[in-house]
Amino acid sequence: MNEIKIKHLGPIDYDSAVKIQLEERQRVKDGLSNGTIFFLEHDPTAITLGRNALASNMLFPRKLLENKGYHVREVSRGGDVTVHEPGQLVAYFVMPLKAKAVRIFVDRIVGVIRDCLREDFNILAEFDPKKPGLWVQGKKLCSIGFDLTERVSMHGIALNVCNTLEGFSLIVPCGLSGVKMTTMSLEAGRKIELKEVTDKLSQRYCNIEIQ
């Protein structure tokens, strides 16, 4: 992963994070950057609808959600509707894509998270290609959604670490009825801080060839 940078943005609103991604995507396209992995959490909470999302998977009118302080956004990633709230670790991968390497790219990104969960936190999570994400005994722990157009990736993963999960009661997560969400803290039986997970993943992504 030659010269790919890792940046920690901390708490940031959704629109600002998208702007940062778009600016970095342009730098990659112009040959001015080899890409960046951004670690952050979204504050305030954002409800995002991917390219394949159904509006009906929001269980309340958009105006009501916005009046309650939620940022509701249509976004370019794949997938349906999800929630980003404080205490959830978000990683955005703005990186050049090699021809015919899309599957390898996604598999390696997800593999790093799965290995980190198992080896550093003793949480046995599995990837389900039919319902993209990382799951622990039928409960969804990590959501995955990319925009892989223009040969430069955007968006990425949202890993529930110590968030309340309250926002997920307002939607049908990923458009899958009956899905139960979980967090690393719930699965580990202890409070896991965001920084602890960010540090572990940063180390792993620094030492792996994603493509």
Side-chain angles (χ1 to χ4, degrees):
M1 197 171 64
N2 295 332
E3 299 181 29
I4 291 174
K5 300 181 292 293
I6 293 179
K7 291 188 177 180
H8 301 270
L9 301 180
I12 186 172
D13 67 274
Y14 192 83
D15 293 343
S16 295
V18 170
K19 182 174 183 291
I20 289 170
Q21 288 185 80
L22 289 171
E23 290 171 348
E24 177 63 3
R25 173 185 255 186
Q26 190 59 53
R27 285 193 290 270
V28 173
K29 290 169 65 177
D30 292 343
L32 302 176
S33 171
N34 288 321
T36 302
I37 301 172
F38 297 98
F39 286 104
L40 57 123
E41 63 178 319
H42 283 306
D43 190 3
T45 297
I47 296 174
T48 64
L49 296 93
R51 295 191 305 270
N52 304 319
L54 298 175
S56 59
N57 286 327
M58 289 193 300
L59 301 179
F60 296 89
R62 177 171 181 158
K63 189 66 175 177
L64 176 63
L65 294 171
E66 291 176 339
N67 287 342
K68 287 181 174 293
Y70 291 92
H71 289 185
V72 181
R73 299 290 186 267
E74 289 85 13
V75 299
S76 62
R77 62 163 174 80
D80 207 287
V81 61
T82 195
V83 168
H84 298 299
E85 56 190 7
Q88 179 192 71
L89 177 60
V90 175
Y92 290 140
F93 299 81
V94 184
M95 300 170 61
L97 294 172
K98 295 180 180 178
K100 299 181 181 180
V102 169
R103 180 61 183 270
I104 295 172
F105 172 79
V106 175
D107 285 351
R108 288 185 177 169
I109 285 174
V110 175
V112 169
I113 301 167
R114 183 191 60 228
D115 292 347
C116 178
L117 289 168
R118 291 180 176 182
E119 296 168 13
D120 296 325
F121 298 95
N122 198 31
I123 297 173
L124 302 181
E126 298 291 345
F127 178 68
D128 186 342
K130 295 180 180 178
K131 299 181 292 183
L134 285 167
W135 301 75
V136 180
Q137 296 181 339
K139 296 169 289 185
K140 192 165 190 178
L141 179 62
C142 181
S143 300
I144 299 166
F146 289 92
D147 174 351
L148 301 176
T149 59
E150 302 183 68
R151 291 287 171 84
V152 182
S153 65
M154 273 184 57
H155 302 290
I157 66 95
L159 176 62
N160 297 325
V161 178
C162 56
N163 43 314
T164 66
L165 300 177
E166 290 177 2
F168 288 96
S169 67
L170 306 174
I171 66 169
V172 179
C174 306
L176 300 171
S177 181
V179 166
K180 184 175 181 181
M181 306 298 295
T182 190
T183 69
M184 290 180 63
S185 294
L186 287 173
E187 295 304 316
R190 68 175 179 89
K191 176 70 177 293
I192 296 177
E193 299 292 344
L194 216 61
K195 184 180 185 303
E196 184 181 357
V197 185
T198 303
D199 289 347
K200 294 291 187 182
L201 283 176
S202 296
Q203 293 169 8
R204 287 177 177 268
Y205 281 119
C206 279
N207 293 303
I208 191 170
E209 185 77 18
I210 291 181
Q211 294 194 71

